[in-house]
Amino acid sequence: MAKEKVVLAYSGGLDTSVILKWLQETYGYDVVAMVADVGQGEDELAGLKEKALATGAVAAYIEDIKEELVRNYLFPMLRSGAVYEGKYLLGTAAARPAIAKRLVEIAEKEGAVAVAHGCTGKGNDQVRFELTVKALKPELQVIAPWREWEITSRTEAIEYARRHHIPIPVTVEKPYSIDRNIWHISYEGGILEDPAREPDPGMFRLTVSPEEAPDQPERVEIGFEKGIPVSVNGEELGPVELVLALNRIAGRNGVGRVDMVENRLVGMKSRGVYETPGGTLLAFAHRELEQLTLDRETYHFKEAIALKYAEILYYGLWFSPLREALDAFVAQTQETVTGTVMLQLYKGNIIVSARTSPYSLYHSDMATFESDDLYDHKDAQGFINLFGLPLKIRGLLSQEWKQPVKEGEIG
Ligand code: ARG
């Protein structure tokens, strides 16, 4: 009888190599390896298929999902304005559901009964993988070896690999954990765990430090259609090329580094360092264009939506009814978010220099101090009287109560 199959999200690193063998030994499954190409780079992908087969996989897939990731996850997120805890541009959080979706598709194609991943039991990524599987194919079993096995350290993993003749990756082990895709690189764990300690300047790969950046500002113009970026410096680009182009431009100007202490879904705080060069430009430019084109109430309401969107994305709830509903709202708001934004990049800073839109709500006559047909200064008096009525009533009553209205005292 043919063995049952499990599809493993495989990276070719030590952990998933050991997991591949461990799944065969522990569960007696045939293992199908799947690598998602999310833009982690040629060097990380080279030779992975052969390596997976050499480690004992019955089949290996290298799936290029870059375009899908940018088009169906990162750009909708960008349009929403989602930024987690004011700083994190959600590069890993957006990629996980995209990878897990493809894992499920390969499992269906292969008739597998289970999927497996190499996420540890302490992070957000396990949640994101597994919630996606639950939403898309609830009957599929999920195996998370890091939560099951006895291996607790890299040394033990190497031991296991030696015993089972698994080729041990020759790459030098970094003193922190890295997750890279087309949108960002995240660094955390290891020597970064102490938030009082500055990261090693040699760690960064997508951005130069501000002091290494050119002494002249560089201008870049980004074009949007309905909230989706479509061009750089007047040249129309597909989603993948566009992000890569902006990564280079921002990166050489030292733009896109973030160092933060964030609240993980699983309860603890963690220190993360991120490089999101192109994404930082896109988020900045998109907000500029919305400030030009959205009416006040929609803009303010959307700011609240963005907080929630970031939270559900961070929490792994991408395939949820709330995310779909928020996307419908966001899409409606983006009908007029079309135009261009010119930015100046200078030593890690972004300075906006111009924005244009055929749907601009900016009315230069209105902004001047002259009286005109639309705005009668006298109307302002009645407006202020009614708008201020609650404050006036409280002011009068507080005199009777002998409770003065307070300044912002710090006590
Ligand atoms: N803290 C970030 C997040 O939760 C990044 C996680 C990076 N994952 C990793 N395996 N290093 O989205």
Side-chain angles (χ1 to χ4, degrees):
M1 204 183 82
K3 287 187 193 166
E4 288 186 317
K5 284 183 196 164
V6 56
V7 185
L8 166 67
Y10 175 77
S11 72
L14 176 66
D15 293 2
T16 53
S17 301
V18 168
I19 287 172
L20 204 163
K21 192 57 103 196
W22 181 89
L23 286 167
Q24 295 169 332
E25 295 236 311
T26 313
Y27 285 88
Y29 288 153
D30 273 343
V31 182
V32 174
M34 186 201 91
V35 181
D37 174 2
V38 287
Q40 60 272 57
E42 294 299 319
D43 42 332
E44 290 202 34
L45 291 170
L48 278 191
K49 190 166 186 155
E50 296 69 28
K51 194 167 172 183
L53 296 172
T55 311
V58 294
Y61 291 80
I62 312 282
E63 297 288 298
D64 181 353
I65 62 166
K66 292 194 289 293
E67 169 120 8
E68 189 179 324
L69 172 61
V70 179
R71 200 185 277 285
N72 298 346
Y73 297 78
L74 293 167
F75 282 178
M77 168 187 103
L78 173 74
R79 261 185 348 174
S80 81
V83 180
Y84 187 66
E85 296 186 343
K87 292 177 95 171
Y88 172 38
L89 288 163
L90 293 159
T92 296
R96 293 311 186 212
I99 298 168
K101 177 169 186 276
R102 187 55 64 94
L103 204 59
V104 166
E105 287 162 1
I106 301 292
E108 279 174 343
K109 187 166 156 187
E110 288 280 341
V113 296
V115 292
H117 62 71
C119 307
T120 68
K122 247 186 149 175
N124 296 315
D125 290 328
Q126 50 174 347
V127 183
R128 297 167 181 153
F129 263 112
E130 295 180 37
L131 294 194
T132 301
V133 175
K134 282 185 198 302
L136 299 181
K137 201 164 171 65
E139 64 276 23
L140 212 51
Q141 190 198 343
V142 181
I143 305 172
W146 275 109
R147 300 198 302 247
E148 283 186 36
W149 67 19
E150 306 292 304
I151 300 174
T152 55
S153 68
R154 183 171 167 83
T155 320
E156 284 172 32
I158 291 174
E159 284 279 292
Y160 186 98
R162 290 240 162 79
R163 267 198 320 251
H164 293 85
H165 311 290
I166 300 167
I168 295 168
V170 287
T171 49
V172 192
E173 179 64 1
K174 299 281 183 309
Y176 36 76
S177 152
I178 294 181
D179 183 57
R180 177 171 183 169
N181 61 42
I182 187 168
W183 195 246
H184 88 346
I185 301 184
S186 101
Y187 309 85
E188 60 183 39
I191 58 168
L192 293 169
E193 271 167 18
D194 179 359
R197 185 167 160 177
E198 194 175 301
D200 165 18
M203 177 179 83
F204 298 96
R205 303 177 185 194
L206 296 177
T207 58
V208 301
S209 67
E211 58 269 33
E212 287 163 331
D215 291 330
Q216 297 303 319
E218 176 170 357
R219 284 183 165 69
V220 57
E221 187 191 71
I222 305 176
F224 290 85
E225 258 167 45
K226 298 191 179 186
I228 299 297
V230 292
S231 68
V232 174
N233 293 329
E235 189 189 348
E236 289 199 13
L237 294 173
V240 170
E241 282 64 41
L242 185 137
V243 173
L244 292 174
L246 291 176
N247 279 347
R248 287 190 292 271
I249 295 169
R252 64 180 175 239
N253 287 287
V255 169
R257 292 187 182 179
V258 159
D259 184 332
M260 71 185 286
V261 174
E262 73 196 47
N263 289 295
R264 279 192 189 161
L265 175 60
V266 289
M268 71 292 271
K269 287 190 188 293
S270 81
R271 193 272 192 95
V273 180
Y274 302 97
E275 290 181 279
T276 319
T280 301
L281 297 187
L282 286 168
F284 189 106
H286 180 259
R287 187 167 54 246
E288 286 295 328
L289 196 56
E290 286 194 330
Q291 287 175 334
L292 186 69
T293 56
L294 295 187
D295 66 286
R296 181 184 66 204
E297 295 309 308
T298 304
Y299 186 86
H300 290 177
F301 193 74
K302 195 168 169 289
E303 289 188 296
I305 293 294
L307 290 177
K308 193 66 197 174
Y309 201 107
E311 208 173 72
I312 61 177
L313 182 42
Y314 190 87
Y315 291 176
L317 293 168
W318 182 264
F319 290 101
S320 68
L322 180 55
R323 198 271 307 158
E324 287 177 27
L326 294 184
D327 265 345
F329 167 79
V330 170
Q332 176 66 36
T333 65
Q334 301 297 292
E335 283 295 315
T336 57
V337 185
T338 294
T340 64
V341 178
M342 176 73 87
L343 303 174
Q344 283 185 66
L345 315 184
Y346 182 64
K347 292 190 178 290
N349 293 291
I350 311 175
I351 302 150
V352 64
S353 43
R355 33 341 221 167
T356 68
S357 170
Y359 304 110
S360 168
L361 292 176
Y362 192 96
H363 194 312
S364 31
D365 296 347
M366 285 300 289
T368 67
F369 288 95
E370 310 296 316
S371 243
D372 57 50
D373 297 347
L374 282 172
Y375 193 101
D376 184 340
H377 287 180
K378 291 201 190 72
D379 292 343
Q381 189 177 345
F383 169 73
I384 296 166
N385 283 342
L386 293 191
F387 188 63
L389 190 58
L391 297 183
K392 186 167 181 178
I393 291 171
R394 179 168 176 262
L396 289 167
L397 291 173
S398 67
Q399 288 168 2
E400 286 172 26
W401 303 331
K402 307 222 178 344
Q403 286 271 359
V405 173
K406 288 190 184 122
E407 293 191 287
E409 292 152 9
I410 55 168

